Amino acid sequence: MTLLTLLACAPETTPLPAEVEVPLHDVWGIAAADDHDADPHVVEVHLEAAKTEVQWVEGSPTEVWAYNGQVPGPLIHARVGDTLRVVFDNALPNDDTTIHWHGLRIPDDQDGVPMIVDPVGPGESFTYAFTLPDPGTYWYHPHVAANEQVERGLQGVIVIDEAEPPEVDRDRYFVVDDVLLSDDGRVQGHFANPDGMTVMMGRYGNTLLTNGSTELLVDTMRPGAVERWRLLNTANARPMFIDVRGAEWRVVGTDGGLLSEPYNVGKQEIHPGQRFDLEVLAPAEGEVVELEMVIDGTRYPVFSATVEGEAVADHEVDWPAAPLPEIVTAEQAIEVTLGADTSGSELLWTVNGEAYVEGDMVPVTGDVPTTMHLRETSGLDHPFHLHGQFFQVVDRDGKPADEPGPRDTVVVRGQGEVTIFTGFENAGRWMAHCHILEHAEAGMMTEYDVSDGGDGM
Ligand code: C2O
Ligand code: CU
């Protein structure tokens, strides 16, 4: 054996195996999609949109539209920096659709908006592929007739792990939705031709679903456990409040990832499209912890956990927040007035006085500090959602806002004002709209054409 060979065998120089796959941790609550790619940094999932039936009303099946036969659709779970490939088949008999990746800062031609890439027709397929830029809690849904397609069940969840995920004892995902059902279990409504009240208020449901179930979800927690609970509101229109009873809890993450300073709050308001991650500390053996949604002041327990089993050693969890862009003096200001146009026979919802018409685009300079000043004139609240970017909420109704963290959806109250700050780092064409889906369909939508910034971003 030569000296060279010996050196090559010395432990210091032994290369690590090229790829050691550390399996992703389990996320409780929603069955995960299979990964069809052996490469640990590529996740390939197959999604099919099709009609199926679920049992929500006793004795009467409900026809839903679902991804892979489940409502909500399968969990897509990957790590930040991975490539996600989604082979999508539209098996709906009559409807065009797309998949929009709500919150992900990806290239605009993968964003699932029909203004850029044609929708996927019945019987057709499309493959979405992109790199996952940010860890966090996200979701996916159609961007064609979303008021109907999301309500009928096309909605699914995404978890993107941090480079070093916080070591929690359990990671759970809770999707809350209110669906409007008739007594015999049909998804009610005239989606193509909604009544005036629905256009005005948005569609409010009569059946609360948590992870697609009308029943209380149950599980156990270990004494002393530190858990991460991810909450998403997929209702067409209804805001709710989150409360946890029986445990200490705080908010550790918002739409776009973890917070550098988690906060305590009595109840956390959550609007359609928004996500909040909670840290929940299990109390002592025998106690019961409940997750409740508070709707119009009424509490609805949706999850109940008995604390039992072997105690977890006392520990704290670090929440590795990504640093947020510093809020500096804006070089660009965008005015956004959200309002209603009642001059015609039908109510229209507007941005800067106009109901959206495909092709309307607002030019925006990319990669510069920008404030967007959102102002509401009709008297109703609107969860305003911006695609392709994160923003921070700077002030609300003239006072500094107490709404930290990276966001993609913020409520603008009736007659209220909100200023948000964003860098528009992601060039491309990006929709912005009210996430009350009936408002978006009735015109409260716009599109920003964000230039390339010029410094090579
Ligand atoms: Cu979740 Cu353009 O939407
Ligand atoms: Cu609205």
Side-chain angles (χ1 to χ4, degrees):
M1 209 180 263
T2 66
L3 186 60
L4 270 174
T5 327
L6 273 174
L7 273 177
C9 292
E12 301 78 49
T13 57
T14 306
L16 285 168
E19 301 291 356
V20 186
E21 175 142 40
V22 183
L24 295 165
H25 67 274
D26 275 345
V27 178
W28 182 96
I30 296 165
D34 290 333
D35 178 2
H36 294 268
D37 193 302
D39 184 329
H41 298 298
V42 179
V43 172
E44 178 178 307
V45 307
H46 297 172
L47 293 181
E48 181 191 72
K51 294 188 180 181
T52 187
E53 282 182 352
V54 292
Q55 223 30 261
W56 284 336
V57 172
E58 222 189 296
S60 319
T62 299
E63 182 189 275
V64 293
W65 300 4
Y67 294 115
N68 296 6
Q70 65 179 82
V71 178
L75 164 73
I76 297 175
H77 191 182
R79 299 177 173 89
V80 64
D82 285 358
T83 297
L84 175 64
R85 194 184 310 121
V86 180
V87 181
F88 173 57
D89 293 313
N90 179 8
L92 297 170
N94 305 308
D95 293 79
D96 287 356
T97 190
T98 62
I99 308 181
H100 166 58
W101 312 98
H102 182 126
L104 299 184
R105 300 194 294 174
I106 57 179
D108 62 359
D109 61 357
Q110 301 301 308
D111 197 44
V113 296
M115 298 76 183
I116 298 184
V117 173
D118 285 343
V120 187
E124 292 179 359
S125 301
F126 187 85
T127 299
Y128 298 89
F130 42 83
T131 303
L132 296 165
D134 303 291
T137 301
Y138 303 95
W139 66 299
Y140 58 93
H141 63 78
H143 227 278
V144 173
N147 62 318
E148 173 169 15
Q149 298 195 5
V150 174
E151 174 77 354
R152 288 194 184 277
L154 292 173
Q155 42 177 280
V157 302
I158 305 173
V159 166
I160 303 173
D161 285 353
E162 294 76 16
E164 289 179 36
E167 285 179 38
V168 292
D169 299 296
R170 252 235 173 285
D171 190 342
R172 305 183 195 264
Y173 206 132
F174 297 98
V175 179
V176 289
D177 190 7
D178 67 333
V179 65
L180 183 61
L181 298 178
S182 63
D183 292 343
D184 61 353
R186 277 171 304 108
V187 175
Q188 277 185 354
H190 312 280
F191 290 103
N193 195 6
D195 60 81
M197 195 52 137
T198 302
V199 177
M200 183 156 79
M201 300 308 294
R203 178 183 172 101
Y204 277 66
N206 55 8
T207 307
L208 185 63
L209 300 174
T210 309
N211 296 353
S213 169
T214 55
E215 319 223 311
L216 180 71
L217 306 177
V218 292
D219 196 26
T220 57
M221 290 171 87
R222 290 168 63 189
V226 179
E227 298 199 343
R228 179 176 190 170
W229 293 7
R230 306 169 190 260
L231 271 287
L232 160 67
N233 178 351
T234 61
N236 280 33
R238 191 192 285 281
M240 308 184 198
F241 286 87
I242 301 161
D243 198 3
V244 180
R245 305 243 263 186
E248 269 184 60
W249 65 283
R250 56 181 185 158
V251 177
V252 295
T254 53
D255 299 337
L258 293 171
L259 295 167
S260 51
E261 290 181 42
Y263 62 87
N264 291 290
V265 60
K267 289 196 276 297
Q268 175 62 57
E269 189 170 15
I270 183 168
H271 286 264
Q274 291 185 317
R275 287 87 65 213
F276 289 94
D277 285 18
L278 317 182
E279 177 194 67
V280 181
L281 308 180
E285 170 111 48
E287 308 274 317
V288 174
V289 180
E290 282 200 319
L291 171 64
E292 294 180 331
M293 302 312 295
V294 186
I295 298 174
D296 294 331
T298 305
R299 292 175 170 271
Y300 297 87
V302 299
F303 171 65
S304 177
T306 310
V307 181
E308 62 179 51
E310 199 192 325
V312 175
D314 205 20
H315 67 305
E316 278 184 13
V317 168
D318 284 331
W319 300 98
L324 288 173
E326 200 192 334
I327 298 179
V328 294
T329 309
E331 289 167 34
Q332 175 170 246
I334 298 176
E335 289 295 322
V336 184
T337 301
L338 305 174
D341 176 353
T342 53
S343 63
S345 58
E346 274 167 36
L347 169 64
L348 294 175
W349 288 103
T350 61
V351 178
N352 295 345
E354 305 282 344
Y356 177 69
V357 178
E358 196 172 324
D360 286 357
M361 261 188 282
V362 180
V364 167
T365 304
D367 219 12
V368 300
T370 304
T371 50
M372 297 178 77
H373 179 226
L374 314 172
R375 194 165 63 93
E376 207 292 327
T377 59
S378 80
L380 296 186
D381 295 359
H382 306 282
F384 175 85
H385 170 48
L386 175 61
H387 287 208
Q389 325 285 334
F390 295 150
F391 55 77
Q392 295 174 68
V393 186
V394 181
D395 57 57
R396 178 177 291 282
D397 299 324
K399 294 190 210 75
D402 195 11
E403 298 162 56
R407 309 267 179 149
D408 57 51
T409 306
V410 63
V411 67
V412 187
R413 306 266 180 218
Q415 304 286 345
E417 295 180 41
V418 174
T419 305
I420 61 177
F421 177 88
T422 175
F424 276 109
E425 295 90 350
N426 194 9
R429 289 169 51 185
W430 301 106
M431 309 302 300
H433 58 88
C434 179
H435 223 290
I436 293 179
L437 299 172
E438 290 71 25
H439 290 183
E441 290 297 317
M444 194 172 271
M445 172 133 74
T446 188
E447 189 174 2
Y448 296 110
D449 186 7
V450 180
S451 71
D452 221 334
D455 68 353
M457 233 303 281

